[in-house]
Every structure is written in structure tokens, then in C-alpha cells.
Amino acid sequence: AAETGGLRPVIYRPSLIWSWSKLDVLPAIPIFNLASAMGVPFVDRTVRVGTLARAILSGLADGGVRGVQRVGEMEALARRRTS
């Protein structure tokens, strides 16, 4: 952190964020997930807003988290969050 003036560059890069309270995006979820599975550039699996929030909190708590966090990394960070 000293080399960047105390800031740690962390970028959370979800493709489509959704929640059960926002039902209008539900039809798009399978399209994004299929496009991700097919390897369409810049399209990842969808991420629930709770998963993204837990990943950000976990990343703030862990000083070793740096760089771009894509879906897999966000899901792993979200699982580590215990409190």
C-alpha cells in the first residue's frame, strides 16, 4: 500500500448484478449466464447484489486483495466473509 500512497487498487467487475427484489432483470439472467459459458468477451455470470456486497466487505478486511475481481473471485471473497 505504501507504493500507492496508502490506496489499494481493487476493482469489482460484475457483469450483471441482480436481486430477488428487482424482478424485471430476471429474464436477462439466463442470457448473460449462457453468453458467459459460450465465452462472449466482457460477459461474466450474473452476481447477486448480496454476493457483491459480501465480497467488497471481505476485500476491505483483507489487505492482500488487489486488482480486478471477477465473478469467481467475488464468490470466493463472499464465502470468506463470516461477520
Side-chain angles (χ1 to χ4, degrees):
E3 70 277 359
T4 59
L7 295 177
R8 234 180 339 125
V10 181
I11 300 168
Y12 293 86
R13 196 209 162 283
S15 188
L16 175 72
I17 306 167
W18 67 279
S19 76
W20 288 110
S21 64
K22 189 98 168 87
L23 300 178
D24 61 333
V25 299
L26 291 180
I29 292 170
I31 296 167
F32 272 77
N33 289 340
L34 179 61
S36 173
M38 292 173 51
V40 174
F42 306 108
V43 178
D44 280 331
R45 290 188 326 271
T46 59
V47 176
R48 286 188 43 213
V49 70
T51 301
L52 177 59
R54 285 189 303 277
I56 291 171
L57 290 173
S58 185
L60 286 170
D62 181 348
V65 176
R66 296 181 185 284
V68 177
Q69 308 300 306
R70 295 185 65 171
V71 174
E73 291 89 354
M74 285 185 270
E75 290 171 342
L77 283 167
R79 284 190 297 271
R80 288 186 354 199
R81 182 77 181 148
T82 58
S83 60

